[in-house]
Amino acid sequence: EASMGDKLLSLQAQVRQNANELQDFFSDLGKWEDDIRSKDRALLKGDLNPTRSKLLPAVRQKGFAEMVPSGVPGQKEKDAADAEARKAEGRIKPKTYQDYGQWDKFVHRDLDRALEDLDEQDRQEQEEKHRKRLEAERAKIREAEEAVARQRQDAERLKDEGNALLKLGDLEGASAKYAESIALNPHAAVPYANRAQVHLSLHRYDEAVADCTLALERD
């Protein structure tokens, strides 16, 4: 992914290229204007069409078209082209320093706006990354809490199974279930107390004392 600096350099290069192309266009346009003026002056002097210069009077007057012999090929088209060239000369004005100054202001204004857009885009990207990071952390916390809740539920279920076995007189089975419950949730006091009762019934007094102590610490 391109950094903001790379984007800025690319934008500056594009602006310079556009400015150079525009200057080349104005330069070509100026040459074209000069060429049109030169041809128009030559036409007025009769230098570009010797045949016509001999046939036409020195000063063009109303009705001079009738004086041109119909045998001269393409004469009407030539006159139309000359007229269009003179119109174009009147419409097209050479670019001045002020024109380029306006363009320079436009380029800088556009560049400033582009930089502001890049800053805003970068800010939004950073906010989006921060938001996604927070969402990921919250999702992990929720998963951990759900896992703990499931473990506690399983521990409670195993404790109840141990109680059922204890009522049936299956002391060893009850002790095993209490041990499984304690492994899943070592912070609960009841499984320790119930297992201590099993130890007493089996005359395992040291184990009973140890479980009673652990139960009291968690109560």
Side-chain angles (χ1 to χ4, degrees), residues 50-80:
T51 302
R52 186 185 176 197
S53 64
K54 295 177 181 179
L55 297 174
L56 293 179
V59 179
R60 295 182 181 179
Q61 299 176 357
K62 182 178 180 181
F64 79 93
E66 288 78 2
M67 301 174 63
V68 180
S70 59
V72 179
Q75 190 60 51
K76 292 183 179 180
E77 291 79 0
K78 185 66 175 176
D79 292 341

Side-chain angles (χ1 to χ4, degrees), residues 22-77:
L22 188 62
Q23 290 178 357
D24 292 340
F25 169 76
F26 286 145
S27 177
D28 293 339
L29 187 60
K31 293 178 181 178
W32 179 78
E33 292 176 14
D34 294 339
D35 186 57
I36 291 297
R37 293 193 188 95
S38 177
K39 289 183 179 180
D40 189 59
R41 286 193 296 269
L43 286 171
L44 292 175
K45 293 179 181 179
D47 294 341
L48 294 183
N49 194 335
T51 302
R52 186 185 176 197
S53 64
K54 295 177 181 179
L55 297 174
L56 293 179
V59 179
R60 295 182 181 179
Q61 299 176 357
K62 182 178 180 181
F64 79 93
E66 288 78 2
M67 301 174 63
V68 180
S70 59
V72 179
Q75 190 60 51
K76 292 183 179 180
E77 291 79 0

Side-chain angles (χ1 to χ4, degrees), residues 189-202:
V190 175
Y192 288 104
N194 292 355
R195 192 172 65 175
Q197 183 178 352
V198 172
H199 289 320
L200 286 174
S201 299
L202 295 173

Side-chain angles (χ1 to χ4, degrees), residues 86-100:
R86 285 191 294 275
K87 290 181 180 179
E89 182 179 356
R91 288 195 302 265
I92 301 175
K93 297 180 180 179
K95 295 299 178 181
T96 63
Y97 175 78
Q98 288 78 7
D99 296 323
Y100 287 107

Side-chain angles (χ1 to χ4, degrees), residues 32-185:
W32 179 78
E33 292 176 14
D34 294 339
D35 186 57
I36 291 297
R37 293 193 188 95
S38 177
K39 289 183 179 180
D40 189 59
R41 286 193 296 269
L43 286 171
L44 292 175
K45 293 179 181 179
D47 294 341
L48 294 183
N49 194 335
T51 302
R52 186 185 176 197
S53 64
K54 295 177 181 179
L55 297 174
L56 293 179
V59 179
R60 295 182 181 179
Q61 299 176 357
K62 182 178 180 181
F64 79 93
E66 288 78 2
M67 301 174 63
V68 180
S70 59
V72 179
Q75 190 60 51
K76 292 183 179 180
E77 291 79 0
K78 185 66 175 176
D79 292 341
D82 294 343
E84 288 297 327
R86 285 191 294 275
K87 290 181 180 179
E89 182 179 356
R91 288 195 302 265
I92 301 175
K93 297 180 180 179
K95 295 299 178 181
T96 63
Y97 175 78
Q98 288 78 7
D99 296 323
Y100 287 107
Q102 292 295 329
W103 167 251
D104 187 61
K105 290 180 181 179
F106 170 76
V107 169
H108 283 82
R109 183 172 64 251
D110 191 59
L111 181 59
D112 291 339
R113 187 181 299 112
L115 291 175
E116 292 176 358
D117 292 341
L118 286 176
D119 290 339
E120 178 63 19
Q121 180 181 355
D122 183 68
R123 184 187 65 79
Q124 292 179 358
E125 290 177 355
Q126 294 299 326
E127 289 182 353
E128 181 66 15
K129 290 180 180 179
H130 181 66
R131 184 185 64 80
K132 290 182 178 180
R133 184 165 57 251
L134 287 178
E135 288 182 354
E137 292 176 355
R138 289 170 181 170
K140 290 180 180 179
I141 293 174
R142 286 195 299 270
E143 291 177 359
E145 291 176 347
E146 291 173 357
V148 170
R150 287 193 298 270
Q151 284 187 351
R152 289 178 177 175
Q153 291 175 357
D154 292 340
E156 187 69 15
R157 176 179 54 80
L158 290 169
K159 183 203 70 174
D160 293 340
E161 292 177 0
N163 292 341
L165 293 174
L166 181 60
K167 291 179 180 179
L168 295 175
D170 185 358
L171 300 180
E172 293 295 346
S175 178
K177 290 295 182 180
Y178 292 143
E180 292 180 22
S181 177
I182 291 171
L184 291 179
N185 186 14

